[in-house]
Structure formats: structure tokens, C-alpha cells
């Protein structure tokens, strides 16, 4: 009796929550989609309404063609930056996390200090531009990749360090006795075992770097260097009267994270809550 | 003979080179450049002039005040709403998994896209929000174009986008609380309300520490949402330190922009370090 009443109650709360969540969290996305498929005139009304005339394909083609296929270039640049930076974050981060966890020494305090600084301190933008210019890396994709590595390292090292502590040292020692060099122990024995946390790191950092707006704005100016988030920002002024195209562009940048979210939900949750329980 | 460690320090080297050159070096250099008039090539030492200017110009001071308001409003709201949503979404309600995903998804979406979408939704006359309020007989405000309201409207967008992360962290924190505490308190006759305040809130503390720290840091550094919606306007009413820094940089005042950066750095340190210390101290007391 009471159990059934309790279940009915849970169900009712669920329905109410579902309605609220739909209005607050889902409707904005529905709105993006509806605006993206409308005609120019209809989109200018800003209404939350069913499109009188569907123009999905044409809007898509128009957005892609804008400014001489700028969006395609932007997707290419963003992909290169994301893949390059994440690859380095995985290797460099795992190497530091490994030594940090396995070899206690006075240097560890220095490394922990750097991690704290890296997580907390806002980057000093203009002096960074000055350094990049000195190295010939300002306005260059390579410079942008290294910046993303520098800013993402702290999180990467922390994630790897805590995971490596669950891998028994016996494995390292067995490999060493078999005559493996430190290089071989790490790349042949340890790194393959880090796969679960590596997948988490790849997913979380990819989304962060792909969505990054501020850093390309500062360090990667120039038409040929445009990234996905910057096209959106540039089109904001260009499409003042073409909100259908602006929202089609928003739809296009929303789909990659949606796909990643559907396929890697578990890894994202693991990455985002790392350290939440232990503090 | 001393055996060489199988964990050589040169493993740290690649990471250290990148981090020191592109993060530590600019941070250290910022203290010097903030004391200069600077065009990226020549720096002329001018003492504390940049800082004096920062605290004398009313719009720069307003940027500082706005940063604090923005950070505390968004962080407070994310903490409270995140905990409430997490409690709701761990209670075994219908469609729980789906609801968790729905609340969390905005975290992964482009901030610029979210900003543009909400700028349309918050349009004073044509926007969906005000039309919706009109349906129930309310007169909606000019969210982003009213100088008295703009900062809070942007904060609202930020909360919408970020509350999912707080909820997720709290869900992980709640899962770590043993159900025995709830059973024991129920046998002792505690109400749901008492359980929430006496069991959930104290035991979910590690998650609270994470949520408060993370959201305060990101709130103090916030730039994207503001730049995508108001660009600090109308006037300077929604400018924060990060947007002031960008505007001074665009105008070519590199020394002044760097001084703004140092002020932001000090502000975060002054707020976060004592907070972390206080959180850790309380932990030992427990």
C-alpha cells in the first residue's frame, strides 16, 4: 500500500520536474533549432513558433558558403588545435603524473605549487603575447596549441596522478627486472593501463578546447586563423539581419558536443567529478 | 654504486618547458609590465601610475565591483541550486537519468552560442521570455539593455549554463554518503527537513568545497558570456575585470591591461586562498 503510494509520489515529482526542466533547459535548444530552419523574415520576429516555411538545407548551405567557406576553415583549424593540444596533454600530463606519484621528493612540492597556480591564476594575457611574439609563435596555430597545453596541464596531471596511484608498483618492478628502460616501462606498461582515464581526459579537454573563445581571441587573430567559436562571434555582427543563419551556425557548433555527450556520457561525468568526493 | 631511479626527472621536462615559458614567465613578467607604459616593444617605467589610474577611473572601479558581485551571485546560486537539484535527482524520481542529462548538457555547449541565444530570448519587446511573461500578465524588464539589470541578467545566463556542473559534483558527493546515516536518523524520528540539514548538508561538504571554489574562480575570471551578450554595456554597467582588460588591450594600453590582470590575480588569491585554508581547517575539526 504505502510502497505503491510512494512510487506514485516519486512519479508525480518526476513529472513536475520534467515539465520545469523542459521549459528551462530544453526549450532554448528547441528555439535554436526552430530559428535555424526559418526564413530570414520569419526569424527576425524572434518568435517561438513552428516555421511556416522550412529552409533547413538552404540555410545550412548559406552558412557554410559565407565569407568564402570560412566555417570549413574554422572547423579545420579548431580540429587541428584540439587534436594537437589533447595529444600533448595526454603524453606530457601522464609523464608528470607518473613521476609525481612514483618518486616522492622535494620537487613534488614545487610541482604541486605549479598545479595550484595553473588551476587558479588567470593567464597574464599581454605578457603572454609578448612571449609568443619573441618565440615567433604569435598568430600561429602551433602557438595556440602550446597555449592550450600550458593551460590544461594542471588538470591533466592531477587526473593522471590520482589514477596512477591505483596501479600497483609491482608491475613497474617486474618490467625493470626484465631489463626494461624507464622509457619502455612507461610507454609499454603504464600508459596502456591508463586508457580509461585517458579517454576521460581526451573527451573533457576536447570539449573545453573546442569551445574555447577567449584564448583564440587574444592569441590567434587573423582571418586565416579563425576558429569555430570566433566565426560565431564574427557572424554575430555580420548576420544582424539574418538570424536564421546565425542560429544555423549555433546549431552546427552545438552538434559536436551533443554527439560526444551521447557517446561518452560516463567518461565526461568521471572527468568532471574527479576530486569532488575527496575534496 | 647508486642505482639510477626508474622514474627519471626528465619525464617532467616537456611539460615543465611549456608551462614555465607560456604560463609562469608571463605571470612573473606581468608584475613588471604593469608598472610601465608599454607598446610590446618598449616599456617605460612609470611606477604605480597604471594602478592609480585603475582606482581613479570610475568605470574601472565599477568593473572591479561588478566582478565581485558577478562572482558571488553566480557562485552562490550555483551552489544552492546545484545541491537542491542533486537531492531531487538522486531521490529515485521518474526519468531521473534523462533529467540529469538535460540539466548537465548546457555545460558542454559553446558559451558564445548560449550567449547569442539568450540575447534573442531576452529581447525586451520581441523576446520569448517577455512574451511568455506577458501571457501571464507580467511586464518583463529590459533584461540586457537596462543598466541596472544587465549584470544580473548575464549572471542568470551563466547560472543556467553552469548549474549542471555543480549538480553533477553534488550527485557524486551524495552518492558517497552511506545510507546508514539516513536509516539511523529516520529511526531516531528525524523529518526529511532535519535529515537534509543535519545529515546531507554536513556530509556533502567535500562537494560543497569543490563547487564553491570552482565556481568562484570561474566567476571572477568570467569573460565569454559577458562578451557574447552585452560586451560590458550598456555603458560600463556590466563590465567586469576580464572585459576591462580586453578593452584596454584593444585600445593599445598594454601596461594598463596588464595592471588589470595583476589586480585580477591578486583578487582571486585574496579570496580563494583564505577560503581554502578555512575549508581545510574546519575539516580537521570534524
Amino acid at each position: 500500500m504505502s510502497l505503491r503510494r510512494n512510487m506514485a509520489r516519486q512519479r508525480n515529482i518526476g513529472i513536475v520536474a520534467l515539465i520545469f526542466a523542459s521549459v528551462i533547459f530544453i526549450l532554448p535548444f528547441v528555439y535554436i533549432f526552430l530559428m535555424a530552419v526559418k526564413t530570414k523574415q520569419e526569424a527576425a520576429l524572434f518568435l517561438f513558433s513552428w516555421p511556416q516555411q522550412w529552409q533547413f538545407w538552404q540555410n545550412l548551405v548559406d552558412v557554410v558558403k559565407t565569407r568564402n567557406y570560412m566555417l570549413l576553415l574554422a572547423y579545420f583549424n579548431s580540429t587541428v588545435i584540439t587534436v594537437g593540444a589533447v595529444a600533448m596533454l595526454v603524453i606530457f600530463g601522464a609523464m608528470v603524473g607518473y613521476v609525481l606519484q612514483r618518486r616522492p621528493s622535494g620537487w613534488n612540492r614545487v610541482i604541486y605549487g605549479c598545479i595550484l597556480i595553473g588551476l587558479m591564476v588567470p593567464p597574464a594575457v599581454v605578457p603572454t603575447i609578448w612571449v609568443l611574439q619573441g618565440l615567433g609563435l604569435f598568430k600561429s596555430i602551433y602557438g595556440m596549441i602550446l597555449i592550450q597545453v600550458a593551460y590544461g596541464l594542471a588538470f591533466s596531471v592531477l587526473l593522471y596522478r590520482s589514477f596512477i596511484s591505483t596501479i600497483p608498483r609491482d608491475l613497474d618492478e617486474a618490467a625493470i627486472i626484465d631489463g626494461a628502460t624507464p622509457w619502455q616501462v612507461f610507454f609499454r606498461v603504464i600508459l596502456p593501463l591508463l586508457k580509461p582515464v585517458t579517454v576521460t581526459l581526451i573527451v573533457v579537454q576536447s570539449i573545453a578546447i573546442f569551445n574555447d573563445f577567449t584564448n583564440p581571441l587574444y592569441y590567434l587573430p587573423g582571418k586565416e586563423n579563425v576558429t569555430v567559436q570566433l566565426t560565431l562571434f564574427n557572424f554575430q555582427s555580420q548576420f544582424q539581419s539574418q538570424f536564421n543563419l546565425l542560429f544555423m551556425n549555433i546549431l552546427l557548433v552545438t552538434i559536436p558536443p551533443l554527439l560526444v555527450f551521447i557517446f561518452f556520457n560516463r567518461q565526461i561525468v568521471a572527468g568532471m567529478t574527479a576530486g569532488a568526493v575527496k575534496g | 654504486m647508486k642505482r639510477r631511479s626508474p622514474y627519471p626527472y626528465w619525464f617532467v621536462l616537456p611539460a615543465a618547458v611549456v608551462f614555465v615559458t607560456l604560463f609562469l614567465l608571463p605571470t612573473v613578467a606581468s608584475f613588471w609590465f604593469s608598472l610601465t607604459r608599454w607598446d610590446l616593444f618598449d616599456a617605460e617605467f612609470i611606477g604605480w601610475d597604471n594602478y592609480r589610474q585603475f582606482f581613479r577611473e570610475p568605470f574601472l572601479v565599477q568593473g572591479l565591483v561588478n566582478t565581485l558581485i558577478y562572482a558571488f551571485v553566480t557562485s552562490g546560486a550555483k551552489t544552492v541550486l546545484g545541491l537542491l537539484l542533486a537531492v531531487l535527482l538522486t531521490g529515485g524520481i521518474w526519468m531521473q537519468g534523462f533529467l540529469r542529462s538535460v540539466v548537465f548538457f548546457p555545460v558542454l555547449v559553446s558559451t558564445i552560442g548560449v550567449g547569442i541565444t539568450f540575447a534573442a530570448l531576452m529581447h525586451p519587446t520581441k523576446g520569448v521570455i517577455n512574451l511568455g511573461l506577458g501571457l501571464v500578465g507580467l511586464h518583463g524588464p529590459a533584461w540586457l539593455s537596462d543598466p541596472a539589470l544587465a549584470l544580473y541578467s548575464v549572471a542568470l545566463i551563466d547560472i543556467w549554463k553552469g548549474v549542471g556542473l555543480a549538480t553533477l559534483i553534488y550527485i557524486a558527493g551524495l552518492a558517497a554518503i552511506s545510507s546508514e546515516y539516513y536509516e539511523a536518523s529516520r529511526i531516531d524520528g528525524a523529518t526529511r527537513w532535519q535529515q537534509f540539514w543535519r545529515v546531507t548538508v554536513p556530509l556533502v561538504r567535500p562537494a560543497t568545497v569543490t563547487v564553491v571554489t570552482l565556481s568562484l574562480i570561474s566567476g571572477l575570471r568570467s569573460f565569454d558570456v559577458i562578451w557574447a551578450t552585452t560586451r560590458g554595456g550598456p555603458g560600463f554597467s556590466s563590465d567586469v575585470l576580464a572585459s576591462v582588460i580586453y578593452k584596454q588591450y584593444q585600445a593599445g594600453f598594454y601596461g594598463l591591461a596588464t595592471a588589470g590582470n595583476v589586480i585580477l590575480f591578486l583578487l582571486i588569491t585574496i579570496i580563494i586562498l583564505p577560503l581554502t585554508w578555512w575549508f581545510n581547517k574546519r575539516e580537521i575539526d570534524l
Side-chain angles (χ1 to χ4, degrees):
Chain A
M1 241 319 256
S2 137
L3 190 69
R4 256 179 74 187
R5 213 172 56 208
N6 200 24
M7 269 173 69
R9 202 175 135 222
Q10 295 292 4
R11 200 189 153 94
N12 290 340
I13 297 175
I15 291 170
V16 173
L18 195 64
I19 293 169
F20 263 103
S22 305
V23 172
I24 295 171
F25 290 102
I26 301 179
L27 283 194
F29 291 106
V30 178
Y31 183 72
I32 293 174
F33 179 76
L34 292 175
M35 287 288 275
V37 299
K38 285 176 177 176
T39 61
K40 188 176 135 187
Q41 291 79 8
E42 214 190 333
L45 297 174
F46 281 17
L47 288 174
F48 191 93
S49 62
W50 199 251
Q52 285 168 338
Q53 197 190 332
W54 279 67
Q55 224 176 253
F56 180 85
W57 190 246
Q58 212 211 312
N59 288 350
L60 181 67
V61 172
D62 284 352
V63 166
V64 173
K65 275 187 175 168
T66 303
R67 289 211 205 163
N68 203 13
Y69 296 93
M70 193 186 241
L71 198 60
L72 295 185
L73 177 65
Y75 264 96
F76 176 76
N77 286 340
S78 287
T79 310
V80 170
I81 294 169
T82 307
V83 171
V86 170
M88 286 163 90
L89 280 170
V90 166
I91 305 286
F92 294 0
M95 284 165 84
V96 178
Y98 175 60
V99 174
L100 187 65
Q101 202 277 324
R102 288 293 201 253
R103 187 174 180 179
S105 79
W107 284 101
N108 286 9
R109 291 182 68 122
V110 178
I111 299 175
Y112 281 120
C114 284
I115 291 173
L116 182 70
I117 291 171
L119 290 176
M120 193 179 80
V121 172
V125 277
V126 193
T128 308
I129 292 174
W130 172 72
V131 171
L132 285 172
Q133 251 177 359
L135 297 169
L137 289 172
F138 186 49
K139 300 186 193 177
S140 113
I141 295 264
Y142 305 110
M144 193 66 241
I145 291 175
L146 291 174
I147 288 281
Q148 297 291 11
V149 174
Y151 294 177
L153 263 176
F155 175 73
S156 173
V157 170
L158 268 190
L159 206 59
Y160 273 118
R161 198 214 67 96
S162 63
F163 192 85
I164 289 169
S165 64
T166 66
I167 295 177
R169 258 168 186 268
D170 302 358
L171 284 173
D172 319 5
E173 273 150 26
I176 294 162
I177 289 167
D178 286 349
T181 62
W183 180 264
Q184 286 169 327
V185 175
F186 177 72
F187 280 96
R188 299 270 187 83
V189 181
I190 302 297
L191 199 58
L193 291 173
L194 300 178
K195 203 177 146 203
V197 73
T198 301
V199 175
T200 299
L201 188 83
I202 291 175
V203 172
V204 172
Q205 294 280 25
S206 297
I207 291 177
I209 296 172
F210 187 82
N211 279 341
D212 187 14
F213 166 71
T214 318
N215 295 317
L217 182 72
Y218 274 115
Y219 307 125
L220 204 56
K223 231 176 37 207
E224 68 287 356
N225 291 327
V226 72
T227 64
V228 172
Q229 304 304 321
L230 278 169
T231 50
L232 200 50
F233 184 67
N234 294 339
F235 290 171
Q236 195 183 4
S237 40
Q238 177 162 1
F239 290 157
Q240 273 311 346
S241 54
Q242 289 168 289
F243 281 99
N244 53 342
L245 299 190
L246 186 59
F247 277 87
M248 177 53 85
N249 197 353
I250 297 176
L251 186 66
L252 289 180
V253 304
T254 309
I255 288 171
L258 180 63
L259 291 178
V260 172
F261 182 52
I262 291 170
F263 289 110
F264 296 98
N265 193 341
R266 207 164 48 83
Q267 282 83 1
I268 294 175
V269 171
M272 297 276 184
T273 54
V277 182
K278 266 178 69 191
Chain B
M1 196 183 89
K2 215 174 132 189
R3 209 164 61 95
R4 285 170 70 186
S5 167
Y7 311 111
Y9 282 126
W10 60 262
F11 268 40
V12 180
L13 210 60
V17 169
V18 177
F19 186 77
V20 170
T21 334
L22 293 177
F23 196 92
L24 277 189
L25 176 66
T27 303
V28 174
S30 69
F31 288 94
W32 156 249
F33 284 121
S34 69
L35 302 172
T36 64
R37 191 179 292 119
W38 183 33
D39 61 1
L40 279 178
F41 299 101
D42 298 305
E44 180 200 342
F45 184 78
I46 53 167
W48 298 99
D49 277 11
N50 287 325
Y51 292 95
R52 278 200 205 101
Q53 195 179 347
F54 220 103
F55 290 104
R56 211 183 294 138
E57 295 271 4
F59 72 94
L60 296 178
V61 176
Q62 191 180 4
L64 188 65
V65 176
N66 283 349
T67 307
L68 290 171
I69 297 174
Y70 188 88
F72 283 103
V73 167
T74 52
S75 176
K78 283 175 192 171
T79 310
V80 173
L81 292 174
L83 178 56
L84 294 179
L85 279 170
V87 170
L88 179 72
L89 295 177
T90 45
I93 61 167
W94 190 58
M95 297 275 272
Q96 184 165 286
F98 176 73
L99 282 169
R100 283 185 190 183
S101 302
V102 164
V103 172
F104 179 68
F105 183 59
V107 173
L108 304 177
V109 177
S110 146
T111 314
I112 304 298
V114 167
I116 296 171
T117 306
F118 271 87
L121 292 171
M122 286 178 164
H123 190 281
T125 51
K126 298 194 286 182
V128 171
I129 294 177
N130 279 2
L131 290 180
L133 289 175
L135 285 181
V136 290
L138 290 169
H139 183 73
W143 299 96
L144 293 165
S145 42
D146 179 349
L149 203 64
L151 185 71
Y152 298 95
S153 303
V154 181
L156 207 61
I157 302 172
D158 194 325
I159 295 162
W160 178 86
K161 188 174 155 38
V163 74
L165 181 57
T167 308
L168 194 70
I169 294 171
Y170 268 124
I171 287 174
L174 290 177
I177 300 177
S178 162
S179 61
E180 287 169 18
Y181 290 106
Y182 291 100
E183 278 157 27
S185 61
R186 206 183 50 229
I187 291 164
D188 288 346
T191 62
R192 278 281 185 106
W193 181 251
Q194 283 170 326
Q195 279 185 330
F196 176 75
W197 283 109
R198 300 289 172 83
V199 180
T200 307
V201 172
L203 289 177
V204 84
R205 233 181 87 85
T208 308
V209 172
T210 310
V211 169
V212 170
T213 320
L214 278 183
S215 60
L216 260 184
I217 293 177
S218 71
L220 289 165
R221 289 164 60 161
S222 185
F223 174 73
D224 300 23
V225 200
I226 292 166
W227 204 246
T229 49
T230 65
R231 302 203 184 176
F236 304 103
S237 58
S238 61
D239 253 328
V240 294
L241 275 175
S243 68
V244 165
I245 293 168
Y246 185 66
K247 284 177 178 175
Q248 299 303 331
Y249 162 71
Q250 269 188 317
F253 298 124
Y254 298 138
L256 191 60
T258 307
N261 231 313
V262 173
I263 292 172
L264 181 59
F265 165 76
L266 294 176
L267 194 69
I268 292 177
T269 315
I270 290 170
I271 293 173
I272 299 299
L273 281 188
L275 197 71
T276 325
W277 177 79
W278 183 72
F279 275 141
N280 287 336
K281 193 181 123 224
R282 292 259 325 256
E283 198 137 39
I284 295 162
D285 287 349
L286 275 171

